[in-house]
Amino acid sequence: MDRPDPNLGKIVVAEDVLQERIRELGKEITADYSERAPLLVGVLKGAFMFMSDLSRAIERPVEFDFMAVSSYGSATRTSGVVRILKDLDLDLTERDVIVVEDIVDSGLTLAYLRRNLAARNPRSLEVCALLVKDGLQTTDLDLRYVGFTIPPEFVVGYGLDVAERYRNLPAVYEYTGSSPQ
Ligand code: 5GP
């Protein structure tokens, strides 16, 4: 980029801090799953970059699957009704599942996903969320692994977008442009 993007505010999580924390999360998961090969379930599209780096920080055999759900742009925020746009390819029966999420805002998406995946009889079901917005969750989400707790402002970068842009930024930025949703 030649000029700074006027829609980007301050850096919320810098690239080196992000990568260091992901290495730590990888170590934790490696230790916790020493006897098991976890199935990482990535929530598209936002989690693709985190999933990629996290998986390389886990020194265990892992398997991958992806799910796509509708988030903003519908009535999701208020209703908690989430639409599955792409379902998993794999059967979860007796699997040790780790849901890999980019960001938890109200927590409604994750609460729905957890219920939905738990009904498929996995042996275990944990959540690894890179970012959690401070104080906005209405239900107890039982997040086993959390990267960072951040202030409740709209952010982009490292997989997170506005209208499909900014996903390739290597750090997380505050978005200061208009109408992000
Ligand atoms: P929740 O259901 O927790 O309110 O929202 C979760 C989903 O909303 C995330 O998976 C993500 O797609 C989107 N989201 C929430 N907060 C942000 C944000 O600050 N920036 C971006 N780009 N997406 C967000």
Side-chain angles (χ1 to χ4, degrees):
M1 254 182 268
D2 301 327
R3 280 176 287 145
D5 187 319
N7 294 324
L8 294 181
K10 64 179 185 307
I11 290 185
V12 177
V13 188
E15 182 177 4
D16 56 340
V17 180
L18 201 57
Q19 291 300 334
E20 180 52 35
R21 182 72 187 121
I22 293 169
R23 275 193 290 276
E24 286 172 12
L25 289 171
K27 281 208 182 85
E28 269 185 63
I29 293 173
T30 302
D32 292 350
Y33 289 79
S34 59
E35 306 293 319
R36 300 169 286 169
L39 171 64
L40 303 182
V41 169
V43 185
L44 294 172
K45 298 175 191 172
F48 80 98
M49 205 164 286
F50 177 41
M51 178 106 152
S52 167
D53 285 340
L54 179 70
S55 65
R56 281 176 286 183
I58 301 173
E59 295 175 16
R60 291 285 309 148
V62 294
E63 291 175 25
F64 295 79
D65 206 344
F66 292 93
M67 217 168 158
V69 296
S70 63
S71 54
Y72 293 158
S74 63
T76 308
R77 286 207 81 163
T78 46
S79 66
V81 174
V82 175
R83 208 155 52 93
I84 295 180
L85 305 175
K86 182 220 171 288
D87 206 346
L88 299 173
D89 295 328
L90 301 176
D91 181 0
L92 299 190
T93 311
E94 290 302 309
R95 299 305 311 265
D96 293 297
V97 174
I98 304 177
V99 177
V100 180
E101 254 286 31
D102 49 2
I103 187 163
V104 178
D105 187 353
S106 68
L108 290 173
T109 306
L110 199 54
Y112 170 85
L113 272 181
R114 188 184 263 284
R115 272 198 313 277
N116 183 291
L117 299 179
R120 306 184 195 195
N121 301 315
R123 179 161 49 206
S124 63
L125 179 60
E126 303 290 355
V127 175
C128 180
L130 179 63
L131 305 170
V132 177
K133 288 197 194 172
D134 207 6
L136 295 187
Q137 295 80 46
T138 47
T139 50
D140 180 17
L141 290 170
D142 188 17
L143 304 172
R144 175 76 181 83
Y145 308 98
V146 172
F148 302 90
T149 301
I150 62 168
E153 56 200 20
F154 200 83
V155 294
V156 293
Y158 198 70
L160 292 165
D161 75 317
V162 169
E164 297 303 328
R165 292 208 30 207
Y166 305 112
R167 292 194 198 273
N168 61 331
L169 295 173
V172 177
Y173 290 79
E174 181 188 7
Y175 179 79
T176 54
S178 57
S179 61
Q181 293 155 38

